[in-house]
Amino acid sequence: MADNVTDYNERVPTVVVDDVHITYKVNGARTGKGSATSALSRIVSRRQTPGVREVHAVKGVSFAAYKGEAIGLIGSNGSGKSTLLKAIAGLLPATKGRVHTQGQPSLLGVNAALMSDLTGERNVVLGGLAMGMTRAQIRERYQGIVDFSGINEKGDFITLPMRTYSSGMGARLRFSIAAAKSHDVLLIDEALSTGDARFQRRSKERIKELRKEAGTVFLVSHSNKSITETCDRAIWLEAGTLRMDGPAHEVVAEYEKFTGKK
Amino acid sequence: MRPTLGVATIRFRPVGLRVPALPSKAIVVSQTTTPAAPADTPAGTPLPVYAPGELAALAARHGLTMSGARPTLGAYVRQLWGRRHFITAFATAKLTAQYSQAKLGQIWQIMTPLLNATVYYFIFGVLLNTKRNVEDFVPFLVTGVFIWTFTASSITAGTRAISGNLGLVRALHFPRASLPIALALQQLQQLLFSLGALVMILVGFGQFPRPSWLLAIPALFLQAVFNTGVSMVVARLAARTPDIAQLMPFILRTWMYASGVMWSVDTMLKGDRVPHFVMVMLECNPAAVFIDLMRFALIDSFGASHLPPHVWAIAGGWALVCGVGGFVYFWQAEERYGRG
């Protein structure tokens, strides 16, 4: 946004993405035959595989995000949204440019299974401890986390191993654990789309609370409705470049026009 | 999306050239023909334009840190200390989850090492008759197998420390060294179960508790530090090259046979059958050192003459070098775990 200078100086930035380029190597794309022997000769000669392809996923994106903002990232599949989130979370290095953040951003993704052979209960405790909460804090918030996830609505599921959960249940528990702590920056990658309507409503409220606690929330979603309802600002990525950055409803409207045309 | 739209749209495509849908070459072309932003950029809000260095200055002014940068070694140790409860809880949880799918449950904690010892007893003790040369063969063998298993399973667990917990690594931020350390701790807890079985066997074969048993405590401590260090090295290697996990069983098996787990190195290689330096190398190899220290502590007939000179210094040296070295080596790749 940053529409005028005075406003710009008052707000406190939490994430600054400065001309970030991300290229990554894809290993599975090799074409040659005799994979094992060629792999061996490659290891011996320390040459780079011809089969390794570089994908330029994010091409020079710059923006600044401020305290208390909820930012929706939109764009068609493969436009670099998840890659950008990973870079902000510090899980993927930027090839060029820099990402500056306040504190440690937490990324909440669809595939982020915790420990599937452990019960939901243990996952709550371990997840909390891993995020740096104390045992006392976890005891205090445990019931809140379980209630929020709604895992126990249909019986005592929290004492079952997480591998027995449906994908929606797993995603709900993961979100609940991550949302139990206030984050400076919370990145949510389509994690809410698997939950049912009731859970989605609850999580939208929780996102609002997290924003009030002076955090910044990024949300990747293919549901334009949930972007406009949850976010006040939206960033539209297309083929790795920033296409539009502004108030959520305006950007979503343009995006809908764009996708509708095809 | 395209197929559902049918023929009419396809006819339009050459006209409605859309920049993002095209490969990168085409973008270059379109930018040379239509300068600056592509023609179909939404008209409403213009993109904010930042002067070079403006964003970096903004970040610096508000004290933002670089995302994904590796903490200093001191800060890393402090972070790790902050997660000590996570490490212990993780180890305990993994230990109890390990046999949760088996019908006999936690009984396998003791059954597995006992069955291992039985197998080795039949093959090496009875069939190959190694026991002829060794006094108190059963306590000798069982101690060897249990202590070896502690090192071997810590290292095997290390190969899966990152790759087996990718979900956790990608979802939450915590010092990654927590994982190999927790897994090594899990193996230590498991060893304590085995030691319970070991005491029963020792007593059953006429080895009764005596003061020298207390030497087992420093020996196990040094071994645990050594194991953790090696497991961190392996964790980093296997995180980058998963093939290490496939190779590890073979390395471990070779190492096991060279460490005198089920035969006595100095009795078997007595005389001039192997050069002296090979003998010294076999005796100073960390697994053999830790195994022999435990035998020395627990078995009457296993006297100091079976130990290499300066054995405690060797054990301490291995623990220090591998413990500290492994930790630093693991830390050096901290920002790269779980990427890609």
Side-chain angles (χ1 to χ4, degrees), chain A residues 56-73:
Chain A
H56 200 162
V58 175
K59 300 163 187 158
V61 170
S62 298
F63 64 86
Y66 299 87
K67 262 190 181 169
E69 274 187 325
I71 302 174
L73 277 176

Side-chain angles (χ1 to χ4, degrees), chain A residues 200-217:
Chain A
Q200 292 203 4
R201 205 178 53 240
R202 271 206 302 269
S203 40
K204 270 171 203 158
E205 276 157 26
R206 182 70 189 121
I207 290 176
K208 270 190 203 132
E209 280 172 38
L210 285 171
R211 284 172 57 193
K212 271 195 215 119
E213 289 161 20
T216 306
V217 177

Side-chain angles (χ1 to χ4, degrees), chain B residues 288-336:
Chain B
V289 168
F290 291 121
I291 291 170
D292 285 346
L293 273 179
M294 280 298 274
R295 284 173 179 156
F296 173 66
L298 300 178
I299 303 170
D300 268 335
S301 56
F302 196 90
S305 63
H306 292 83
L307 295 173
H310 313 296
V311 64
W312 285 101
I314 298 173
W318 277 118
L320 192 71
V321 168
C322 290
V324 175
F327 181 74
V328 171
Y329 182 70
F330 186 88
W331 161 78
Q332 282 173 333
E334 172 72 8
E335 73 276 23
R336 296 200 290 270

